[in-house]
Amino acid sequence: MTQILTAKVKFPAKEWDTQHGPRLNAKITLPDGEDIKIWGNPDDAALKALRKGQPVQVAKDAKGKYSLVEQAPAPGQSPVVEAPPLDTGELEGEVKSAIASYITSRADLYAFCFKQASRALGESGVSEETRKCAASTLFISAQKKFGI
């Protein structure tokens, strides 16, 4: 027996090269919080049309396999296309604070990298552009090494 569930798109479809050729994959969150992946062919228009946060219906078959339920319009009706939510650019206080904190900490790290690059390269007479490049390299390397 097939079960139909209303779920939410966590990550829209992305194309992957697999051992069976190119495939699309979208991550969907079920009502119980479980994340599943729905796979499809690269030309799957329904899978490509998914947007983050969009509610979708998925079918779970008797074997436990999930698939996207395509909702066809009624005969004589044109398909209903939902417009994505309008982004007003306004952020919630908590989100705005988290972003500000993140940017401040990254700016402090970059300033430290620039100071160290200038100290190490300053006496060699290199240009400021070279010091900026060195600081950027140090900044990126620090972020990769420490996962920040």
Side-chain angles (χ1 to χ4, degrees):
M1 183 170 134
T2 302
Q3 182 181 14
I4 304 293
L5 302 166
T6 300
K8 193 173 266 191
V9 177
K10 185 170 187 175
F11 296 112
K14 181 178 177 183
E15 191 168 322
W16 297 91
D17 285 326
T18 70
Q19 65 185 11
H20 303 290
R23 301 277 289 157
L24 288 178
N25 166 288
K27 190 175 259 189
I28 309 292
T29 303
L30 298 176
D32 66 2
E34 177 187 359
D35 288 337
I36 61 165
K37 292 180 181 177
I38 304 234
W39 289 88
N41 293 320
D43 60 348
D44 188 328
L47 204 52
K48 280 184 175 180
L50 297 179
R51 299 292 172 247
K52 185 174 183 171
Q54 175 185 350
V56 293
Q57 288 190 325
V58 293
K60 181 180 179 183
D61 66 17
K63 295 179 182 177
K65 184 179 182 228
Y66 291 93
S67 60
L68 190 62
V69 175
E70 292 187 48
Q71 299 180 343
Q77 247 185 345
S78 60
V80 176
V81 178
E82 283 187 39
L86 182 61
D87 183 4
T88 61
E90 295 180 26
L91 300 172
E92 301 285 325
E94 191 174 304
V95 173
K96 192 182 285 187
S97 178
I99 292 169
S101 176
Y102 176 83
I103 290 171
T104 299
S105 69
R106 293 305 169 272
D108 290 344
L109 177 58
Y110 185 83
F112 179 76
C113 291
F114 185 79
K115 186 177 183 181
Q116 294 305 309
S118 295
R119 184 184 58 77
L121 299 173
E123 293 178 12
S124 62
V126 297
S127 69
E128 183 171 345
E129 185 64 29
T130 300
R131 291 193 306 266
K132 285 180 185 177
C133 289
S136 295
T137 300
L138 292 171
F139 178 75
I140 292 167
S141 296
Q143 288 189 103
K144 283 184 180 179
K145 176 153 178 82
F146 298 101
I148 55 174

